[in-house]
Amino acid sequence: MVTRTPFHRLAVLLALVIVAACHANGDANAQQPASRNPLPAPSAAALTSSRRTAIVDASEKVRPAVVSVRAILPTPRPSPWDIFEGQNEGTPESFGTGFILRSDGIVLTNQHVIANATQITVTLSDGTDADGKLLGADPVTDIAVIKINRTNLPVVTIGKSSDLMIGEWAIALGNPYAYMLGNSEPTVTAGVISATGRNIVPTGDHTGSYLDMIQTDAAINPGNSGGPLVNALGEVVGVNSSIFSGTGESVGLGFAIPIERAVRIANEIVKSGTVHRAWVGFDVAATDQASGKPRPPGLTITQVVADGPAAKAGIHSGDVLLEADGHALHSYLDWEAIKLDLHVGDAVTVKVRSGLATSDVRIVTGELPTVTAERVKVLSDLELETVTPAIRAERAIQSPAGALVLRIPDALANGTGLHEGDVILGLNGQGLQTAEDVAKAFKGMQAGERFVLNIERGGMRGYLNLVFH
């Protein structure tokens, strides 16, 4: 005898419900046609239309104006700080990318791609080669301009970086690994605009600074340097320049120079062969950008040059610089980024706190003192000492190498902005390891030659724009 519990009765009831449901489904299915007409297959035209995205259109628009750049170097040199030189170890060559700005053969690329080049070859998108002539280069902004003897060339469309939206499409075109891929057609990678206004603190052997940069996760690899960063409309918004990577390969942290800055520098180089930087006439205290800690706006003004632009505008040592042209200043790099885009004679409006009062001050920039100052011999009475581990410890120097300024005459300090205790790290973006390296670098310069001196001061890196006399 089987005893039926409430659970047995529940199970039987559920089984009857399931059977009834199956019969109902069977009746319903019986009323449907035995077979259904399949949906029509999409046409070839529809499939092609769905494949043609904004990225495809933008790439097709820019690709014809993207070129490969090959530089022959006098001697092999190491690759500084993950910047894309694409150099094969043991060969005196440097590879990169560029793009055509003007149909008469004006090509824009990165300065580090052609640094020290004795010969430049530009390979066009059709596979033909052209000899390149270097019109000029600016190591501070990492921009160089090459001229090739061609006409009626395809050119890029210049866009704007000032209105970029975080998350919008970003397309990088370039020539990763140079000629290893077997043809001249540029590689296209896509991602998004990850951030804008990035200031990259120089580290290791790298002596320059990258300021107010565009960050993208579009894959950028060695050889992409100097290539265009493009928006979904096919407009160039930046010049690909550097990556953060532990391996030298792309990890989704790529950086591009804003196109407005790149074009301004390029036009100035085409016009005069060099870049004339603006002078404001004061220094600010360095702050630790690398700490990662948020800080309120405000940079203490440490030195104001008598009769300089800032002094004439009423700014004094000890004032606090809060804003420049509406941009809050949290770090000395924010201020360096503002100065980088000023022409000689431009006016910049700064918000300054002096004591308890805050006011807006208009500064009209001037020519660098080294351009107009009385000529002096740069190395006369300048006493340098090679940085050693002991000197690093004694002076709290961050850089592993360089030349410490032990003594400098007042006239030379006033004319150059170089101070006792500064460490000379490089010249025109090229690292200098010892005091002897500095002496050799200056020995080969010509009177009137403009150069950029990379330095460390107070544990922070910066640069001075100078003219050799």
Side-chain angles (χ1 to χ4, degrees), residues 68 80 86 98 104 123 174 190 198 233 245 254 271 302 315 324 334 345 348 359 365 367 379 384 428 445 450 460:
S68 295
D104 60 351
T123 303
R198 293 296 201 204
L233 300 177
S245 171
K271 181 179 179 180
T302 58
I315 289 178
D334 295 332
V348 56
S359 60
T365 63
E367 190 81 71
L379 286 181
L384 304 176
N428 291 336
M445 298 183 70
R450 293 174 180 267
M460 307 302 292

Side-chain angles (χ1 to χ4, degrees), residues 63-70 95-100 107 120-132 148 150 175 179 183-186:
R63 258 187 2 229
V66 178
V67 302
S68 295
V69 178
R70 177 190 181 192
F95 298 100
T97 306
F99 54 92
I100 303 170
V107 175
I120 299 172
T121 301
V122 175
T123 303
L124 304 177
S125 60
D126 62 4
T128 60
D129 290 340
D131 292 334
I148 60 175
R150 296 290 182 89
N175 297 285
Y179 301 102
N183 59 36
S184 59
E185 186 174 293

Side-chain angles (χ1 to χ4, degrees), residues 379 382-388 391 401-404 424-425 427 431-444:
L379 286 181
L382 178 62
E383 189 173 337
L384 304 176
E385 188 168 12
T386 298
V387 172
T388 64
I391 291 176
L404 173 67
I424 299 175
L425 304 176
L427 185 74
L432 299 173
Q433 303 294 311
T434 67
E436 289 76 16
D437 290 344
V438 176
K440 290 177 182 177
F442 281 123
K443 187 175 181 180

Side-chain angles (χ1 to χ4, degrees), residues 353-371:
R353 185 174 68 238
S354 183
L356 299 178
T358 300
S359 60
D360 289 335
V361 179
R362 184 174 181 268
I363 302 173
V364 178
T365 63
E367 190 81 71
L368 291 168
T370 50
V371 176

Side-chain angles (χ1 to χ4, degrees), residues 22 29 60 116 123 140 160 255 258 269 345 366 395 449 457:
C22 290
N29 289 336
E60 286 185 353
N116 297 328
T123 303
V140 173
K160 294 192 301 181
F255 297 91
I269 288 174
R395 298 294 187 104
E449 183 176 343
R457 176 179 296 168

Side-chain angles (χ1 to χ4, degrees), residues 395-413:
R395 298 294 187 104
I397 296 171
Q398 301 298 311
S399 303
L404 173 67
V405 179
L406 290 177
R407 292 183 181 84
I408 182 171
D410 290 342
L412 186 57

Side-chain angles (χ1 to χ4, degrees), residues 86-307:
Q87 179 183 340
N88 295 326
E89 185 177 353
T91 62
E93 296 179 334
S94 174
F95 298 100
T97 306
F99 54 92
I100 303 170
L101 274 184
R102 291 186 353 196
S103 61
D104 60 351
I106 298 297
V107 175
L108 190 150
T109 187
N110 282 145
Q111 180 269 344
H112 73 260
V113 170
I114 52 76
N116 297 328
T118 58
Q119 180 182 337
I120 299 172
T121 301
V122 175
T123 303
L124 304 177
S125 60
D126 62 4
T128 60
D129 290 340
D131 292 334
K133 176 185 177 182
L134 181 64
L135 296 186
D138 181 38
V140 173
T141 56
D142 197 16
I143 293 297
V145 179
I146 301 168
K147 178 71 168 68
I148 60 175
N149 189 23
R150 296 290 182 89
T151 58
N152 299 319
L153 295 172
V155 299
V156 298
T157 300
I158 300 299
K160 294 192 301 181
S161 69
S162 56
D163 63 355
L164 287 174
M165 297 177 287
I166 307 303
E168 73 169 286
W169 284 116
I171 306 158
L173 291 92
N175 297 285
Y177 302 103
Y179 301 102
M180 290 176 61
L181 300 184
N183 59 36
S184 59
E185 186 174 293
T187 294
V188 177
T189 56
V192 298
I193 298 295
S194 304
T196 58
R198 293 296 201 204
N199 294 327
I200 305 176
V201 180
T203 58
D205 292 332
H206 178 60
T207 55
S209 294
Y210 286 88
L211 306 173
D212 196 28
M213 299 286 281
I214 304 164
Q215 181 184 334
T216 180
D217 66 347
I220 299 173
N221 286 292
N224 277 91
S225 283
L229 186 69
V230 179
N231 64 19
L233 300 177
E235 299 168 336
V236 179
V237 296
V239 182
N240 299 319
S241 295
S242 59
I243 58 173
F244 276 159
S245 171
T247 63
E249 313 301 323
S250 174
V251 293
L253 283 172
F255 297 91
I257 302 164
I259 192 61
E260 294 90 341
R261 175 182 301 157
V263 170
R264 177 181 68 81
I265 295 296
N267 288 339
E268 197 164 346
I269 288 174
V270 171
K271 181 179 179 180
S272 63
T274 187
V275 178
H276 295 266
R277 294 224 138 70
W279 181 54
V280 292
F282 68 86
D283 293 331
V284 298
T287 55
D288 189 4
Q289 175 88 352
S291 68
K293 297 178 180 178
R295 48 171 287 135
L299 304 173
T300 301
I301 295 174
T302 58
Q303 180 181 3
V304 179
V305 179
D307 296 324

Side-chain angles (χ1 to χ4, degrees), residues 306-386:
D307 296 324
K312 292 176 181 177
I315 289 178
H316 303 91
S317 179
D319 290 349
V320 177
L321 191 65
L322 302 174
E323 295 181 3
D325 284 342
H327 299 280
L329 303 175
H330 299 271
S331 158
Y332 83 101
L333 291 177
D334 295 332
W335 174 234
E336 292 295 327
I338 294 291
K339 290 197 300 179
L340 204 58
D341 291 326
L342 292 174
H343 292 272
V344 175
D346 283 352
V348 56
T349 300
V350 297
K351 186 179 292 295
V352 177
R353 185 174 68 238
S354 183
L356 299 178
T358 300
S359 60
D360 289 335
V361 179
R362 184 174 181 268
I363 302 173
V364 178
T365 63
E367 190 81 71
L368 291 168
T370 50
V371 176
T372 58
E374 182 181 353
R375 296 190 174 190
V376 296
K377 294 181 179 179
V378 173
L379 286 181
S380 64
D381 301 322
L382 178 62
E383 189 173 337
L384 304 176
E385 188 168 12
T386 298

